[in-house]
Amino acid sequence: MSPRFREGLRAGVPYGFAGALLAISFGVLARDVGMPAWAAILFSLLVFAGSAQFAALSVLGGGGGAAAAVIAVALMNSRFLPIATAFGPSLPGGPFRRAAQSQAVVDVSLIVARNPDGSFDRDLLLGSTAAQWVGWQTGTVAGALGGALIGDPEALGLDAMFPAFFLFLLIAELRRGRVASGVAAAGALIAFALVPVAPPGVPILAASLAALWGLRERKAAPA
Amino acid sequence: MSTATALWVIGAAAVVTVLIKGIGPFALGGKPLSPRFEAVIALLAPALLAALVVTQVLADQDRWVLGADTAGVAVAGVLFWRGTPMLVGVAVAALVAGGLRAVAG
């Protein structure tokens, strides 16, 4: 275990803990919409994407078909197209190895796996995601098998935890300067405006277009 | 839900997610970045974090909604802005959201 991996592991623990609580909700909700416990657990093992898994449940629970649920997952995860692409040049190995390692990319990777020079560290990425992966799987098992005993985490306000994490990280980004703040404002406006007219996930993907402001930069140090 | 439906959804969702995350790094890597590409990458974090916050606290599916979680995260935002540590603010967000729901019954 490299020091950077261990550092990533430590950085990932708070997100892993919050993810575990959220995953309990996922397990409970999956059972509510008629998914067997083993399927809920398999879902988390193979897909490992909170918002996308919730989106699939909401389609299935609303009477939508399997194809519609998969489309919901694809749209919700579409933001990982630009996010994972950003990691490409920082990952070692050939195309297949890079694509395999990029499976570890999650939302907070953009922050916790970042080097001071703006590139990304592979071991920080793997370590921080490992901590979150353990939390997500543990929570799913607990929710799917013991949900009735645990109760509804949403009543405890635990759904506010991840947006609060994101807000903390966002505020740190805003302090990087006026360019970052302007791009954040543009991203927020794009997402907000698209909410009523685009399916869930698309507003977030579209907001990433605000980062194209960086094309105006002449030098490597933006923000 | 039938076993077949569950397996179909999970299998297809897994494949789609692997492709979404893998295609960029598959195509791109092994050579130094242009400064402009680096600048765009650096700005992805603020753009996406802002969008994630907005869609999670101001919307439910395709509707704009204000809820107990909106209030909780807003309080946390004020605390963060004033320098409160991450975990304290996150706990406050959950407490405010849960507390409001308890009061509202």
Side-chain angles (χ1 to χ4, degrees):
Chain A
M1 206 187 283
S2 79
R4 296 290 262 174
F5 184 90
R6 230 171 302 155
E7 188 185 334
L9 214 47
R10 264 197 306 275
V13 164
Y15 308 106
F17 183 72
L21 297 173
L22 200 61
I24 294 174
S25 288
F26 172 76
V28 171
L29 194 62
R31 299 301 301 276
D32 283 350
V33 306
M35 195 175 262
W38 63 264
I41 294 165
L42 189 67
F43 206 164
S44 284
L45 278 171
L46 294 184
V47 179
F48 180 48
S51 55
Q53 291 177 229
F54 277 109
L57 291 189
S58 115
V59 169
L60 294 169
V70 175
I71 290 171
V73 167
L75 293 176
M76 196 52 93
N77 277 343
S78 61
R79 67 184 184 279
F80 290 119
L81 205 56
I83 297 177
T85 302
F87 277 76
S90 300
L91 296 172
F96 286 100
R97 236 184 112 210
R98 290 197 304 268
Q101 295 169 106
S102 72
Q103 301 306 315
V105 171
V106 295
D107 289 310
V108 295
S109 307
L110 272 174
I111 304 292
V112 295
R114 187 169 56 192
N115 290 318
D117 70 352
S119 67
F120 296 99
D121 187 274
R122 195 268 310 261
D123 288 355
L124 278 180
L125 166 69
L126 296 180
S128 57
T129 297
Q132 294 177 78
W133 195 86
V134 169
W136 188 247
Q137 309 308 333
T138 311
T140 304
V141 171
L145 296 178
L149 302 173
I150 297 165
D152 179 12
E154 191 145 311
L156 302 173
L158 300 180
D159 56 320
M161 293 180 80
F162 259 94
F165 274 127
F166 291 142
L167 186 55
F168 176 85
L169 299 173
L170 173 63
I171 287 171
E173 289 297 301
L174 299 183
R175 297 209 160 112
R176 286 161 69 91
R178 282 170 57 189
V179 175
S181 301
V183 166
L189 278 175
I190 292 170
F192 187 75
L194 288 179
V195 161
V197 292
V202 173
I204 306 171
L205 176 67
S208 69
L209 293 174
L212 292 177
W213 183 263
L215 291 176
R216 295 169 50 95
E217 296 291 314
R218 298 287 162 114
K219 288 199 235 142
Chain B
M1 186 182 314
S2 73
T3 300
T5 306
L7 281 178
W8 203 94
V9 169
I10 294 165
V15 170
V16 164
T17 303
V18 166
L19 290 176
I20 289 172
K21 285 186 176 179
I23 192 162
F26 184 89
L28 200 71
K31 53 187 172 201
L33 290 177
S34 80
R36 296 168 107 203
F37 185 81
E38 276 182 30
V40 172
I41 288 176
L43 292 173
L44 265 184
L48 283 165
L49 287 169
L52 284 166
V53 171
V54 163
T55 53
Q56 292 189 2
V57 303
L58 298 178
D60 180 20
Q61 307 267 14
D62 57 355
R63 288 176 307 130
W64 292 315
V65 178
L66 295 178
D69 57 331
T70 318
V73 175
V75 172
V78 173
L79 293 177
F80 291 146
W81 195 257
R82 302 179 58 169
T84 302
M86 177 170 81
L87 293 179
V88 176
V90 168
V92 168
L95 284 172
V96 170
L100 284 174
R101 284 190 189 123
V103 170

